[in-house]
Every structure is written in structure tokens, then in C-alpha cells.
């Protein structure tokens, strides 16, 4: 079944290990933890997840989500600390955009040092069909302490 509208002040939602389907619950903008792993959600990761600006943990493991992981997920969810998209059907090249904090400038306008504002510490993308080169995204995730990309098609 589908989720009903959530109370606006809801901070944590654990709907894991059910038979839930339809659209992901994105109506409670104060939500900090959303765990709907092991359900029947299908399709692509909806852009509505960007409404959850307070989200720190997102667990969508073991569903039937597919297409590419949106490149802007790091920007639309800047406070995200834990992301689990394992055991889905995501495919394609992995690219990641993160919020950038401009830390220092040089007098030369072409020389500019920036530092990632990504809060992501835990990332599990295992058991999908992701391809590409991990070297392109890892430098942007400078706070990462745990990474699982096993059982994909990375080169």
C-alpha cells in the first residue's frame, strides 16, 4: 500500500520491511531519517525527495528503483550524512554534484580553492548496475568514512 500524508513535525520514519509501494513519503519537510528499505518502491528516485531539506539519513535499499542516480542528489540534500541505495536496479555512470564552499580566493581569478560542503559519511551503492570511474566522485566526498560499491560494474 501507499503512505498516507505524514504529520509535518515528524522527524523519523521507519517503514522498512513491508510491502509499501507508490510514491516515497516526501511531505514532512522536518523529516531527518527516512528508512523505507525492503519494500516495493519502483521507478526512478523522485525529485520530490529534494523537499526533505532536513534529511540526514536516507535508506532506500532493496527496492526496485532504477534509472540513474540523480547527479544533483548531493546538492538537493546538502545535510545528508548516510545514504543507502543498495540492492536496487540503478544503472549508468555515477557522477556526483556536491555543494561547494568557497574557502579562499587568489588575486588571480583563474586560481580558486574550494572545499566540498558534503556532509556524507556513509554511502552504500552496492548491488546495482553502476558503471564508470570512482576516481571522479571520491574527491568530492571528503567526509566519507564508509563506502560500499561492491557488486556493480565499475572499472
Amino acid at each position: 500500500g501507499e503512505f498516507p500524508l505524514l504529520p509535518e513535525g515528524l522527524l523519523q520514519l521507519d517503514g522498512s520491511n513491508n510491502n509499501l509501494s507508490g510514491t516515497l513519503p516526501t511531505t514532512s519537510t522536518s523529516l531527518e531519517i527516512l528508512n523505507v528499505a525492503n519494500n516495493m518502491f519502483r521507478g526512478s528516485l523522485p525529485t520530490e525527495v529534494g523537499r526533505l531539506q532536513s534529511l540526514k539519513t536516507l535508506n532506500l535499499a532493496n527496492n526496485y528503483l532504477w534509472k540513474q542516480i540523480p547527479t544533483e542528489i548531493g546538492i538537493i540534500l546538502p545535510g545528508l550524512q548516510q545514504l543507502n541505495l543498495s540492492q536496487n536496479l540503478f544503472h549508468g555512470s555515477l557522477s556526483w554534484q556536491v555543494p561547494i564552499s568557497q574557502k579562499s580566493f587568489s588575486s588571480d581569478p583563474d586560481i580558486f580553492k574550494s572545499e566540498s560542503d558534503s556532509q556524507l559519511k556513509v554511502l552504500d551503492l552496492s548491488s546495482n548496475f553502476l558503471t564508470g570511474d570512482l576516481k571522479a566522485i571520491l574527491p568530492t566526498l571528503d567526509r566519507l568514512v564508509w563506502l560500499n560499491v561492491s557488486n556493480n560494474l565499475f572499472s
Side-chain angles (χ1 to χ4, degrees):
E2 293 192 25
F3 269 103
L5 286 177
L6 301 176
E8 183 55 40
L10 189 66
L11 296 178
Q12 298 182 20
L13 173 60
D14 187 348
S16 61
N17 302 306
N18 283 291
N19 196 25
L20 299 170
S21 61
T23 57
L24 292 172
T26 58
T27 55
S28 178
T29 56
S30 59
L31 206 57
E32 294 180 358
I33 298 173
L34 175 59
N35 181 1
V36 289
N38 304 309
N39 278 289
M40 303 295 289
F41 290 104
R42 299 179 186 280
S44 59
L45 190 59
T47 56
E48 292 82 16
V49 78
R51 291 184 203 152
L52 304 174
Q53 290 294 301
S54 299
L55 207 58
K56 292 179 175 46
T57 300
L58 177 59
N59 187 349
L60 302 175
N62 200 18
N63 280 284
Y64 297 93
L65 298 171
W66 58 288
K67 292 190 179 181
Q68 289 189 309
I69 297 171
T71 60
E72 66 277 357
I73 193 164
I75 292 174
I76 62 174
L77 296 172
L80 200 59
Q81 295 175 9
Q82 297 182 33
L83 177 61
N84 187 344
L85 299 177
S86 66
Q87 298 178 349
N88 277 287
L89 303 169
F90 289 114
H91 64 274
S93 181
L94 185 62
S95 60
W96 205 272
Q97 294 177 10
V98 296
I100 298 296
S101 172
Q102 299 174 358
K103 297 295 183 189
S104 63
F105 294 94
S106 167
S107 57
D108 181 349
D110 295 328
I111 299 174
F112 155 71
K113 290 177 82 177
S114 65
E115 187 175 294
S116 165
D117 273 348
S118 173
Q119 302 296 311
L120 202 59
K121 295 177 182 176
V122 175
L123 178 59
D124 190 345
L125 301 173
S126 62
S127 300
N128 281 285
F129 298 94
L130 299 169
T131 60
D133 189 353
L134 289 175
K135 289 183 280 189
I137 68 154
L138 289 181
T140 65
L141 301 174
D142 52 2
R143 291 196 172 108
L144 209 57
V145 295
W146 192 87
L147 174 66
N148 186 353
V149 292
S150 62
N151 299 310
N152 277 288
L153 303 170
F154 291 114
S155 54

